[in-house]
Each structure stands twice: as structure tokens, then as C-alpha cells.
Amino acid sequence: MKSKKLNKVPVGTYVVLLLWTVLCVFPLYWMFTFSLKENSEIFGENVLGLPRNWMWSNYADAMRSGTLSSGLMRDSSILLGFKNSIIISVFTIALTIVCALMACYALTRMEWRGRETVNNIFMLGLTLPIHAALLPVFLMLKSLKMLNSYQALIVPYAAFSLAMAIMIFGSFMVNIPKELEESACLDGCGTFGIFFRIILPLMKPAISTVIIFTFLQAWNELMFANIFNSERRFSTLPVAINTFFGSYTTKWGPIGAALVIATFPTLFVYAFISRKIQESLIAGAIKG
């Protein structure tokens, strides 16, 4: 009786995990098949099944078309938005990691007056919704003549990612043994030597976590991208897809293809660094 009772637990667990996996994977399956269907299949005839006619031409339409109709950008709105999103995301991640690592090192490993106050000020950023600062940020960028440029998005995105990055780095860095720094100091390492040779190599799992969080914010954000960059040559992928709805209100296949093009890079980034993210989360849980 006991053995049967014990065997039921793993089976139930696997069933729950299987259902949870289906729930997580189904939106991706639906979006992918949606991007390869005609309107008649999308709206009624074959909503959940595989496409009867695999419309790969939807991807060609998505790549060729769009409503970025100003000048040279007309035939490459998705590709242009894809390129701009990559540039902005990469520089946002780099700026966030550099600033957050240095700030976190000073806040967690150095003794100086006002350290707790400065840390609390940084943490206030977690309570501020990014879109609540739309008007002040717009006025500052306008006064600095930074509108319609890559930095018009890179700087605000990095600033709003800083609080989360410092919190993640802090929870990880605080558990690095101070004996390592003391040994390096006895060997002649200065502050920068300790940071770059001892602390930085141990921060890889936390850096991976910050990369995915910052990438998701920069890659998917729409409101700042739509308002701060009115010139089409600086439009990001969410803006390009948003304008797509005006062109294809009667043809939804290319819209689904554009959504797939925008979504799969995120999955690729997560798959590439997922192990490091899990290590960082487990380390934080053990510390807590």
C-alpha cells in the first residue's frame, strides 16, 4: 500500500509538469502556425491545427512591406526595425552592466558614509513605472537635443534598468568571500585589479540574468520608442510591427510572421544563457 501511494506522487507531478509545459509552449505553437495561415483558417476553419497550405510567402510579405513609407525605408521596415532594436538593445545592456557593476561594487564592498542612503535611492527606481516618467524624460532629451537618435532610447532604457541590475548584482556580490579580496590585496592588487580580476569573473551568472531582463525591456518597449524617435530611420521593431496593423487589417498572416520575427530572438537569447540565469537564481535563493 505504501509503495503504491509513494508511486502516485511522481506520476501526478509529471502530469502537472506536462500540462504546464503544454500551457507554456502552446502560445509559441499557435503564433508560429498563425503566421503560416490564410485569413480563412485563422478565423474559424482551422484555428488550432497545422496550416493546410503553408504560406511561407507571409514571411516574404512581412520582410518586404510595412508602413514606414518615408523615402528609402518603405521596403525594409521590419529589417530596419530589427537592426535598430539590436543596436539599441546591445548598447543598453552594455551601459547597464558597466554602470550597475561599478555602483554595486562601491555599495556592497566599500565602506563610506551615505552608502545605505545612496543604495535606497537606487532602489526607489524599482517603484517607478517607466512610463510615468514619459514627459520629464522627453523634456530632458529635447533640451539636450537627443531626440531622434539611438541614445534617445539607450540612455532612458539603461537608467530604468539600473535599479533591477543593482539589486541582482548586490544579492550575488554580497556572498563573495571577502577573503578573496584580502588575498588579492596582499598580492599587490589595487581596487581596480580586485574588481576586474577577482569580482568580475565570479559575477557571470548574475550578469547573464541582468542581460536577459534588460534585453526584454529594451526589445519590447514601445511607448518611448514611438515618442522619442519620430523619424522612421530610428524606429525599432515594436514600432514597425505597430504600424503594420494599418497596412494589413485584412491580411493577418504577415502580421503573425512579423510577430514571430520579433519573438524568436528573445527565445534564442534565453536559451543561450538560461543555465547561467538558473545558477544565479539558485545562488540568490541559497543566500536568502
Side-chain angles (χ1 to χ4, degrees), residues 3-284:
S3 61
K4 287 183 179 179
K5 192 173 183 179
L6 289 174
N7 290 334
K8 288 181 181 177
V9 177
V11 173
T13 303
Y14 283 123
V15 170
V16 171
L17 290 175
L18 181 62
L19 291 174
W20 183 252
T21 303
V22 171
L23 286 174
C24 292
V25 173
F26 179 76
L28 298 174
Y29 160 79
W30 183 83
M31 184 171 62
F32 181 67
T33 54
F34 164 80
S35 69
L36 295 169
K37 292 178 181 177
E38 297 175 331
N39 278 4
S40 58
E41 291 187 80
I42 295 172
F43 297 102
E45 292 181 7
N46 183 22
V47 177
L48 301 179
L50 294 172
R52 293 168 186 163
N53 299 316
W54 294 72
M55 300 289 292
W56 295 104
S57 59
N58 288 338
Y59 283 86
D61 292 340
M63 300 291 269
R64 280 198 305 265
S65 305
T67 55
L68 299 183
S69 56
S70 59
L72 298 176
M73 309 306 169
R74 180 168 187 167
D75 295 331
S76 59
S77 60
I78 292 296
L79 292 179
L80 179 68
F82 195 87
K83 183 195 75 173
N84 289 337
S85 290
I86 289 178
I87 292 173
I88 291 169
S89 299
V90 168
F91 279 95
T92 299
I93 290 169
L95 184 61
T96 301
I97 288 177
V98 170
C99 295
L101 272 174
M102 291 188 172
C104 187
Y105 183 71
L107 290 169
T108 59
R109 313 301 282 192
M110 295 181 175
E111 298 291 338
W112 46 281
R113 183 178 296 178
R115 184 180 63 166
E116 289 296 328
T117 305
V118 173
N119 186 55
N120 291 335
I121 292 173
F122 274 121
M123 290 303 104
L124 282 177
L126 293 172
T127 65
L128 184 65
I130 182 171
H131 297 134
L134 181 63
L135 182 58
V137 174
F138 178 82
L139 294 176
M140 282 191 287
L141 293 174
K142 185 179 180 182
S143 64
L144 295 171
K145 297 181 179 178
M146 288 174 59
L147 294 175
N148 294 313
S149 63
Y150 289 130
Q151 57 266 32
L153 296 179
I154 293 171
V155 175
Y157 287 167
F160 279 97
S161 302
L162 206 55
M164 176 66 77
I166 290 175
M167 187 183 73
I168 293 171
F169 286 153
S171 64
F172 197 88
M173 194 179 290
V174 76
N175 266 348
I176 296 177
K178 288 193 175 181
E179 288 77 10
L180 292 175
E181 293 178 70
E182 293 169 358
S183 299
C185 189
L186 290 175
D187 289 338
C189 262
T191 303
F192 286 99
I194 293 172
F195 177 74
F196 285 106
R197 296 177 182 176
I198 305 298
I199 301 296
L200 196 57
L202 297 174
M203 295 292 292
K204 288 179 182 177
I207 291 174
S208 301
T209 306
V210 171
I211 285 175
I212 191 67
F213 278 115
T214 309
F215 177 79
L216 286 174
Q217 177 175 313
W219 187 263
N220 294 324
E221 205 283 329
L222 174 62
M223 188 173 289
F224 277 16
N226 204 24
I227 294 175
F228 296 163
N229 283 343
S230 57
E231 291 185 12
R232 299 306 188 188
R233 61 196 174 107
F234 293 111
S235 292
T236 59
L237 195 53
V239 176
I241 293 175
N242 192 45
T243 57
F244 227 68
F245 285 90
S247 294
Y248 287 99
T249 51
T250 57
K251 195 174 181 183
W252 287 86
I255 295 176
L259 293 174
V260 170
I261 293 171
T263 302
F264 275 59
T266 307
L267 301 177
F268 175 77
V269 170
Y270 179 77
F272 188 69
I273 60 177
S274 60
R275 180 172 295 179
K276 294 292 182 183
I277 294 173
Q278 291 169 10
E279 290 176 7
S280 173
L281 295 175
I282 292 171

